[in-house]
Amino acid sequence: MSITPVPRVAVIVVAAGSGTRLGAGAPKAFVGIDSHSILWHSLHGVFAVPDAQVVIVAPESRSGDALTEALAVSGDKADFASVVVGGPTRQASVAAGLAALRADIEIVLVHDAARALTPPAVFERVIAEIEAGAPAAIPVLPVVDTIKRVDGSTITAHVDRSRLAAAQTPQGFRREVLDAAYRSATAEFTDDAALVAEAGHRVAVVDGDARSFKITTRDDLERAQSLVTPSVTEQSDPAANRAAAMPRVGVGTDVHAFGGDGDLWLAGLEWPGERALSGHSDGDAVAHAIVDALLAAAALGDIGTHFGTDYPEYAGAHAEAFLSRTRALLAEAGWRIGNVSVQVQANRPRFSSRRLEAQAVLSAALGGAPVSVTATTTDGLGFTGQGEGVSAFAVALIVPA
């Protein structure tokens, strides 16, 4: 006769959010990534925690659906799963989860269901840090973007990103620490670590994971959709899984007319004395075609998805800003850039004297991935041949990281 172990660890899965910014017409946790919901994918990582009690906090209208998802994923751990109804705020929802914990629980993890692709290793690192003596621990990632403090539309200060980190979940706590912090809370906090820190406790950090991003917008959902195919097919279709691990190719094009202000920026270089291209940024058709090719290869949308006019921070931006951010997006999605080839179609500028310089600048912005640049005048044909603008066509190869 086997004896069911008494769980010492509990995971509270917060799945009660409305998902307004996602705009899917349903509570966010119950929106599909593929044929399964965000919650279903999230619970795969949660139930990988050995012998843990799992409490799902869901909207009252979807509590039955939440239990169905839990039973579908839990396997032989179904006895450890339960669902409670969430409150009007995140803290109220976590408090409802705390009230449902078994008496023997010593370590509590609070996890956002919206971080659906969090690998089990992140849970393990948080638990290990608590078991080593920390009262609280959270996974974090370094901040890679340049951070500015702004007032309205004006930059007021540069923020040193070396001292910043992006917080993720699961966030782990000694049970007595989290219980006491909730009993004494007098304000709402954006996460449980802030509440515990306000109560005077040290919060340790462990390595997070790029896959543990939070699904908040449609862009985030598309990114998750591009990532789940390998994990699902790995279990059911080895042939499809081998295909998902293969390199991918993407193509991108961009066209800009002459007519901008200042000097020309093209292929990451400034061309003094040449007419500028018009556009939301600097009109660098070469860099923009590369961005589109890379995003297409990774199924992450296109340049308008991530850098369009809805993103004022890219107004007037040059190639380095676009390419470094695109490289980061691919890395977060599990891809590495193999190489890029781009052809420029234009009467001017003449690339022959600066080809190697352009290739070096573009390659550096892509983390060293080789970039080749060729150019043609199209024999005077079309709008490029007539000197009205510049066209670029790029092909990109990416490989699993």
Side-chain angles (χ1 to χ4, degrees), residues 20-31:
T20 302
R21 285 177 286 178
L22 189 58
K28 179 164 58 177
F30 300 91
V31 173

Side-chain angles (χ1 to χ4, degrees), residues 76-319:
D76 59 1
K77 300 178 181 179
D79 290 343
F80 290 163
S82 62
V83 177
V84 299
V85 175
T89 66
R90 186 181 188 281
Q91 267 178 232
S93 292
V94 175
L98 283 171
L101 298 187
R102 300 185 181 192
D104 294 308
I105 296 299
E106 300 173 5
I107 296 173
V108 181
L109 306 187
V110 182
H111 184 53
D112 291 336
R115 299 186 185 274
L117 306 184
T118 302
V122 179
F123 291 84
E124 294 170 5
R125 288 195 287 268
V126 173
I127 293 171
E129 190 69 20
I130 303 299
E131 289 179 333
I138 67 171
V140 301
L141 285 181
V143 174
V144 296
D145 293 322
T146 298
I147 305 297
K148 305 291 186 182
R149 184 175 290 112
V150 300
D151 182 3
S153 60
T154 303
I155 294 174
T156 60
H158 168 75
V159 180
D160 181 7
R161 68 185 179 192
S162 67
R163 299 177 64 84
L164 300 178
Q168 298 182 323
T169 70
Q171 299 188 349
F173 310 90
R174 299 296 305 178
R175 181 181 185 172
E176 64 273 15
V177 168
L178 190 59
D179 279 341
Y182 263 82
R183 286 194 300 268
S184 62
T186 58
E188 289 286 329
F189 293 86
T190 56
D191 69 358
D192 301 285
L195 187 153
V196 167
E198 178 68 16
H201 298 283
R202 177 179 69 89
V203 179
V205 297
V206 300
D207 290 339
D209 193 287
R211 289 165 290 181
S212 189
F213 62 94
K214 190 174 185 180
I215 300 174
T216 302
T217 66
R218 295 297 302 183
D219 288 350
D220 300 326
L221 184 60
E222 289 177 4
R223 179 179 165 195
Q225 289 167 339
S226 75
L227 290 173
V228 298
T229 302
S231 63
V232 173
T233 57
E234 182 177 359
Q235 304 168 33
S236 58
D237 190 343
N241 185 54
R242 287 193 296 272
M246 295 290 288
R248 292 185 183 179
V249 174
V251 298
T253 62
D254 196 57
V255 176
H256 284 280
F258 290 115
D261 297 326
D263 290 323
L264 172 69
W265 281 85
L266 192 64
L269 302 178
E270 185 176 16
W271 301 77
E274 297 284 353
R275 288 185 296 164
L277 293 165
S278 61
H280 172 56
S281 59
D282 62 357
D284 189 336
V286 172
H288 299 174
I290 293 173
V291 168
D292 258 344
L294 289 167
L295 293 174
L300 294 176
D302 55 27
I303 194 168
T305 304
H306 302 279
F307 305 97
T309 55
D310 291 339
Y311 296 87
E313 63 268 33
Y314 291 105
H318 298 310

Side-chain angles (χ1 to χ4, degrees), residues 316-351:
H318 298 310
E320 195 279 333
F322 283 84
L323 297 178
S324 61
R325 178 57 182 157
T326 300
R327 177 189 169 218
L329 289 170
L330 264 65
E332 291 167 3
W335 295 98
R336 177 174 59 82
I337 301 169
N339 73 292
V340 176
S341 175
V342 58
Q343 183 185 72
V344 189
Q345 297 179 354
N347 271 351
R348 299 193 63 85
R350 298 295 185 182
F351 261 87

